[in-house]
Amino acid sequence: MLPSVILIGSISPCVDPSKGTGATEVEEFLRDADDDDDKLPQAPDSPFVNTTVVSVYHNNCDFAAPPTKSMLTEWQLSVLVLLYISPTCNEDENLSIAAVMLTRTSRLVSGARRLDPGRLLHAGSQAPQSLAAPLDNQAPDDSPRAVSRTSEKDPARHGEQHEGLHYNIPLQDMRTLFPHSLPPRFSMQVKTFSEACLMVRKPALELLHYLKNTNFAHPAVRYVLYGEKGTGKTLSLCHVIHFCAKQDWLILHVPDAHLWVKSCRSLLPSTYNKQRLDQPAEASIWLKNFKTTNERFLSQIKVQEKYVWNKRESTEKGSPLGEVVEQGIMRVKNATDAVGVVLRELKGQSSLGGFRLLVAVDGVNALWGKTTLKREDKSLVAPEELALVHNLRKMVKNDWHGGTIVLTLSQTGSLFKPRKAYLPQELLGKEGFDALDPFIPILVSNYSPKEFESCIQYYLENSWLQHEKAHTEEGKKELLFLSNANPGQFRTRCGVRRERRESGSVYAATFKGPEETVTQISLGTEFSAPAHTGGVRSSSPGCHLLAVLGPRSRSASPVSPDLCFTWSEGKNAPPSGGRED
Amino acid sequence: MAAPAVKAARGWPVLALGVRNRLLRFPGLTQVRGSRYGPEYKDPQVDKEYYRKPLAELTEEEKYERELRKTQHIKAAPASKTSSVFEDPVISKFTNMIMKGGNKVLARSLMAQTLEAVKRKQFEKYHAASAEERASIERNPYTIFHQALKNCEPVIGLVPILRGGHFYQVPVPLADRRRRFLAMKWMITECREKKHRRVLMPEKLSHELLEAFHNQGPVIKKKHDMHKMAEANRALAHYRWW
């Protein structure tokens, strides 16, 4: 005879755990209720006498800590485990007995308190480890664990229900997928928290949906992630890359195309084509990262032509791609040409179907912008004269199939583009837009309230927000206002990333402590450096709204103190055209 | 506006009501520091909680005070004072002391980077420590900052007093604000002068703050030196007349 373990769940919180365990109370009650077992089926022993309340599980509470009054009202006794050793294996009978027991115990809690009609789980003769699952399912939605994190580690299974939640990428994967390709601020965050958590957001989910339904016989579709500064385009791209890596795609990731068009120390005339220029350093770095990410493909893919590097070295037809990559890494002079070869081979062979190719370029507007590189005779270099850029442009054209192209526009790090520009037409220019046309634009916007709350919860869980007021409603409202729900600004404000000085960041954006003051912003916008046309107009419209309090007010009447803080509530203010006099 | 109307009615001179016009007596001097407000001007109340208290909870005094404030003259709140929950007067003061040439932007960012650096260092220590040690590691940069400055405050100071043609360093009890000022001044001077040119200020400041938090480091040493000198000059204490 197998004993049945009957789990009865969710008795509501009036059972006072401070008096020992609520279990003893229930036990007593159950023993006392021996009298009315007229409704129970005849069993040799009364079921109540036999019951032992094995344990009382509480959601999210620490038994060691003494329960406070507020905790008592919030606790939910999630699972009251009653081990009922039944003399029979009759399921129906056990179920009915369990139902009766449940009604009896819920009568215990009826009356003034809320009645939670506990869910009856008949676990049969399962092992008690199954307790963990029902506990999670019954977790109330407002517990921090549910709001900010999800345990779903596979991006392929992310869906609408995971929106706004953080999922963990194992650090081992991070090292292979993103050897040096993460935005440095995010990598600092990863280092501090010793974990890499990405938030699942709508644009990424949309992209994943498209990727799952791609038809590889059609030419590669181009998706362009665009949005204002700091909204999360790069990290959405990282999410997509993680998904593709899990699905075993070949990943061609250019972490920041802007790095190729500026501050290059060594520009060599190209060996392949006299008009173009080589960049050995950048090319070799890229090859190393490519090798780390796609180790296993390098031996599978075979080169389809013979390549002669110089008098002594050449790569035969049919040798693995890994050799080309090695050649590029070892002979830095040939690195750019090696990159060109790799790109050409991958483009040619992706149509054959041996692998699926993901081309991910961050900051693709660099390919069609201007450069700051100069030749020895001080003449400016156009981007098409750089061999790397030339080859990448060919890669981004949609004349191949068997993969996808996901691109990100980025004003950060771009050259000669206004700070406010974020639309594809503005950043790509006519040439770039025509080259990329047709593409599917995906807008990445600021955090929704749910996402923002989730982000704050994540930081609070990691104890990153240490100020004692940070977890109060006031503090959260203030952070929301000051960062305008912009993910980048919020991270800067919380001190998780450094602000960039060179991008002429706005007065408000340079403040990283959460002590950013409302009137302080006004000081910046109105007084300091009116020549800062780019700097003054901050991305957060809330910054504009402040009429200056203080030295400007000429009236001797008592300054209404309401002005100080009602401003923080209002976000929609007309952009101040200038000084208010 | 009310004020000019008042002036016109009473026929007072052009100067605004309540502005101190004592400097008319010293034509060569312009008022550089010091308040232009008269004594009847009250400080502004920026605390949100003060205004959120419902009327029922106020005591008689508080009700009277509220009524009074409606008619009193109140100074304009300085631009650096806010009703933010994250405001800290000590941090504001320290930031002002770091500021050079009126560059508050830079000073604020340095301060924020310092706090972030302190936080990061403590987090690193926390992750590296075992479970027992973790409870003793303080990760809140604000508490570390306040405690460090408190540890650096000297108890007794020296004041040069002129007697018989010579200046003597006389030990003297210091006022609270003087002590806080000295602590901050020493911290900033130490970080400015004794660092390598390639080391950034936030890094050095965070290092010094952490050392002061543990009662070590050059700033604490300076405080102890000050105490020793005061102890050594104990004999001169009677030169003090206040």
Side-chain angles (χ1 to χ4, degrees):
Chain A
M1 279 190 301
L2 297 167
S4 2
V5 176
I6 304 176
L7 307 176
I8 302 185
S10 299
I11 310 287
S12 76
C14 82
V15 183
D16 190 354
S18 60
K19 307 177 199 163
T21 60
T24 44
E25 268 189 311
V26 176
E27 224 180 89
E28 278 172 348
F29 170 75
L30 291 176
R31 249 182 255 120
D32 290 342
D34 258 1
D35 317 330
D36 36 335
D37 50 1
D38 45 337
K39 298 179 193 160
L40 295 172
Q42 294 303 316
D45 309 313
S46 164
F48 291 116
V49 171
N50 270 343
T51 52
T52 331
V53 180
V54 173
S55 62
V56 178
Y57 278 83
H58 296 262
N59 262 344
N60 304 325
C61 77
D62 188 9
F63 244 35
T68 59
K69 193 171 176 189
S70 55
M71 276 158 80
L72 284 177
T73 47
E74 283 166 17
W75 272 347
Q76 199 168 5
L77 292 177
S78 62
V79 173
L80 195 59
V81 178
L82 299 176
L83 235 194
Y84 169 44
I85 314 282
S86 125
T88 62
C89 277
N90 190 346
E91 274 205 12
D92 297 332
E93 198 184 87
N94 292 342
L95 264 175
S96 62
I97 294 174
V100 171
M101 273 160 47
L102 181 67
T103 40
R104 296 290 166 79
T105 46
S106 47
R107 258 182 243 148
L108 178 77
V109 307
S110 69
R113 309 300 179 118
R114 254 183 310 132
L115 205 87
D116 194 7
R119 280 150 275 179
L120 176 66
L121 308 164
H122 184 205
S125 45
Q126 282 169 25
Q129 281 100 4
S130 60
L131 285 173
L135 276 177
D136 273 343
N137 292 340
Q138 292 164 26
D141 275 344
D142 53 337
S143 78
R145 212 147 288 264
V147 166
S148 76
R149 281 188 210 245
T150 171
S151 48
E152 185 56 72
K153 295 220 174 142
D154 188 7
R157 287 196 289 238
H158 285 159
E160 290 284 327
Q161 70 272 24
H162 296 112
E163 197 190 316
L165 304 180
H166 291 86
Y167 83 100
N168 198 358
I169 306 181
L171 287 174
Q172 196 49 41
D173 283 355
M174 292 292 278
R175 256 174 257 131
T176 24
L177 282 180
F178 308 112
H180 287 287
S181 320
L182 276 179
R185 290 88 196 154
F186 185 67
S187 52
M188 255 202 311
Q189 178 182 318
V190 169
K191 190 172 148 224
T192 308
F193 296 162
S194 344
E195 62 171 4
C197 277
L198 274 187
M199 195 196 275
V200 177
R201 296 181 71 197
K202 264 215 190 71
L205 284 175
E206 198 185 325
L207 250 182
L208 292 181
H209 175 73
Y210 294 151
L211 285 178
K212 283 178 206 166
N213 303 338
T214 25
N215 184 347
F216 292 107
H218 292 167
V221 185
R222 284 180 287 219
Y223 303 98
V224 173
L225 289 162
Y226 73 103
E228 285 179 349
K229 196 168 155 113
T231 41
K233 307 179 279 289
T234 309
L235 287 185
S236 299
L237 192 69
C238 293
H239 191 176
V240 169
I241 292 176
H242 186 219
F243 163 76
C244 292
K246 285 267 173 172
Q247 305 282 310
D248 252 358
W249 291 36
L250 208 172
I251 298 174
L252 204 98
H253 181 40
V254 177
D256 196 357
H258 293 296
L259 296 176
W260 287 0
V261 297
K262 52 181 177 177
S263 54
C264 173
R265 294 283 173 89
S266 50
L267 268 181
L268 303 173
S270 170
T271 39
Y272 182 70
N273 187 331
K274 291 271 165 36
Q275 268 94 39
R276 297 204 210 120
L277 294 167
D278 260 3
Q279 285 160 292
E282 281 86 9
S284 60
I285 292 172
W286 186 83
L287 280 172
K288 281 193 205 114
N289 293 343
F290 179 73
K291 186 174 157 198
T292 325
T293 318
N294 303 307
E295 284 279 7
R296 56 182 188 288
F297 288 104
L298 293 181
S299 40
Q300 287 169 22
I301 302 174
K302 306 289 178 205
V303 168
Q304 278 173 349
E305 276 179 36
K306 180 175 170 183
Y307 296 105
V308 179
W309 304 111
N310 49 34
K311 265 188 278 183
R312 275 166 240 159
E313 285 162 17
S314 64
T315 317
E316 299 300 321
K317 178 172 169 182
S319 49
L321 199 63
E323 272 194 30
V324 175
V325 176
E326 284 300 328
Q327 175 72 29
I329 295 177
M330 279 193 316
R331 291 256 177 270
V332 183
K333 253 185 108 176
N334 298 333
T336 320
D337 293 330
V339 172
V341 164
V342 163
L343 292 181
R344 181 201 285 184
E345 289 297 321
L346 288 176
K347 194 165 166 182
Q349 295 193 25
S350 63
S351 335
L352 303 175
F355 55 87
R356 293 184 213 156
L357 180 61
L358 171 75
V359 177
V361 181
D362 200 332
V364 73
N365 44 323
L367 302 184
W368 287 279
K370 291 193 214 165
T371 68
T372 47
L373 303 175
K374 293 194 183 133
R375 291 199 190 82
E376 278 96 19
D377 54 356
K378 310 279 174 93
S379 57
L380 270 178
V381 173
E384 46 271 2
E385 290 172 25
L386 292 167
L388 279 177
V389 171
H390 179 86
N391 291 329
L392 198 58
R393 278 193 195 180
K394 281 195 283 186
M395 200 66 201
V396 164
K397 245 204 282 189
N398 57 349
D399 49 2
W400 51 279
H401 60 95
T404 4
I405 309 175
V406 182
L407 308 167
T408 311
L409 296 177
S410 162
Q411 192 277 336
T412 316
S414 67
L415 295 161
F416 310 108
K417 292 284 177 210
R419 216 187 134 264
K420 287 295 193 177
Y422 71 97
L423 295 168
Q425 182 72 35
E426 293 166 349
L427 284 178
L428 289 170
K430 185 171 184 315
E431 206 193 321
F433 198 91
D434 290 336
L436 282 186
D437 205 17
F439 59 85
I440 297 182
I442 300 178
L443 174 65
V444 184
S445 52
N446 289 335
Y447 280 149
S448 64
K450 182 181 167 216
E451 287 172 339
F452 186 79
E453 183 64 39
S454 163
C455 196
I456 285 202
Q457 283 297 340
Y458 174 63
Y459 286 146
L460 287 173
E461 268 183 26
N462 285 49
S463 324
W464 180 250
L465 297 179
Q466 284 280 331
H467 200 281
E468 60 269 2
K469 292 284 167 84
H471 59 87
T472 56
E473 279 312 307
E474 276 290 329
K476 284 185 196 171
K477 264 201 289 192
E478 216 177 289
L479 288 173
L480 176 63
F481 166 67
L482 291 171
S483 60
N484 194 26
N486 182 289
Q489 288 250 17
F490 181 59
R491 277 218 288 274
T492 309
R493 192 153 307 288
C494 295
V496 198
R497 73 170 215 179
R498 294 276 152 79
E499 82 277 8
R500 282 198 202 222
R501 298 271 178 84
E502 87 263 358
S503 58
S505 47
V506 156
Y507 195 86
T510 59
F511 298 156
K512 281 178 13 279
E515 33 178 64
E516 171 54 78
T517 61
V518 162
T519 46
Q520 193 83 38
I521 301 170
S522 73
L523 177 66
T525 53
E526 311 282 336
F527 291 116
S528 74
H532 261 248
T533 45
V536 165
R537 305 286 166 255
S538 71
S539 56
S540 47
C543 293
H544 290 302
L545 53 76
L546 309 178
V548 180
L549 182 63
R552 312 273 324 282
S553 65
R554 306 246 175 84
S555 63
S557 58
V559 170
S560 157
D562 284 318
L563 279 175
C564 288
F565 58 91
T566 44
W567 292 348
S568 59
E569 257 81 63
K571 279 201 231 178
N572 302 316
S576 59
R579 296 172 184 252
E580 298 166 54
D581 271 324
Chain B
M1 293 213 296
V6 165
K7 282 188 293 196
R10 299 197 191 168
W12 281 18
V14 181
L15 291 170
L17 177 70
V19 167
R20 296 189 195 140
N21 46 9
R22 299 180 208 126
L23 284 186
L24 283 183
R25 290 179 247 152
F26 306 103
L29 296 179
T30 37
Q31 194 159 21
V32 174
R33 223 175 285 113
S35 176
R36 301 277 291 168
Y37 290 112
E40 64 275 8
Y41 275 78
K42 302 292 167 213
D43 284 316
Q45 173 66 262
V46 282
D47 186 18
K48 284 187 220 177
E49 297 306 317
Y50 178 84
Y51 295 100
R52 281 192 191 151
K53 252 184 160 177
L55 272 169
E57 279 186 27
L58 298 180
T59 62
E60 282 307 313
E61 286 178 357
E62 285 173 339
K63 279 192 195 148
Y64 174 73
E65 207 188 307
R66 292 244 182 145
E67 289 296 317
L68 191 61
R69 286 182 85 84
K70 284 183 191 169
T71 47
Q72 269 180 336
H73 294 295
I74 300 198
K75 297 182 202 175
S80 48
K81 203 150 185 268
T82 65
S83 48
S84 154
V85 293
F86 298 115
E87 168 154 6
D88 194 343
V90 181
I91 301 238
S92 307
K93 183 64 86 181
F94 197 78
T95 318
N96 286 341
M97 289 179 71
I98 294 179
M99 172 167 63
K100 271 192 193 174
N103 195 347
K104 188 72 154 254
V105 181
L106 185 58
R108 277 295 295 260
S109 70
L110 288 177
M111 193 68 225
Q113 282 174 45
T114 309
L115 291 172
E116 187 197 327
V118 164
K119 216 194 314 194
R120 268 193 214 278
K121 288 185 188 171
Q122 291 299 93
F123 263 76
E124 258 173 76
K125 262 192 244 173
Y126 184 85
H127 286 310
S130 60
E132 306 89 47
E133 292 168 36
R134 278 186 179 183
S136 62
I137 294 181
E138 174 64 56
R139 287 186 287 174
N140 190 341
Y142 298 96
T143 39
I144 292 181
F145 180 79
H146 289 127
Q147 189 57 41
L149 285 185
K150 226 185 282 183
N151 290 349
C152 292
E153 284 177 14
V155 169
I156 191 169
L158 293 168
V159 153
I161 291 189
L162 181 61
R163 273 294 185 100
H166 296 278
F167 279 100
Y168 296 100
Q169 295 289 330
V170 175
V172 131
L174 297 171
D176 265 342
R177 54 175 186 275
R178 177 78 184 153
R179 291 161 64 194
R180 284 193 288 266
F181 170 77
L182 281 177
M184 291 198 241
K185 187 78 182 173
W186 288 341
M187 179 66 78
I188 293 174
T189 325
E190 167 71 34
C191 291
R192 275 183 187 158
E193 289 171 8
K194 300 277 175 56
K195 71 172 176 72
H196 186 62
R197 63 176 175 86
R198 296 277 294 188
V199 172
L200 295 173
M201 185 68 165
E203 207 185 300
K204 175 78 176 170
L205 241 188
S206 57
H207 182 253
E208 293 305 326
L209 282 171
L210 282 171
E211 288 207 308
F213 178 70
H214 293 114
N215 271 315
Q216 293 158 356
V219 192
I220 299 286
K221 182 170 172 299
K222 184 145 185 178
K223 170 183 91 156
H224 289 324
D225 287 345
M226 169 81 113
H227 288 172
K228 281 183 207 150
M229 288 252 306
E231 183 66 27
N233 286 5
R234 222 172 22 183
L236 305 169
H238 64 278
Y239 281 172
R240 182 173 65 97
W241 62 85
W242 62 89

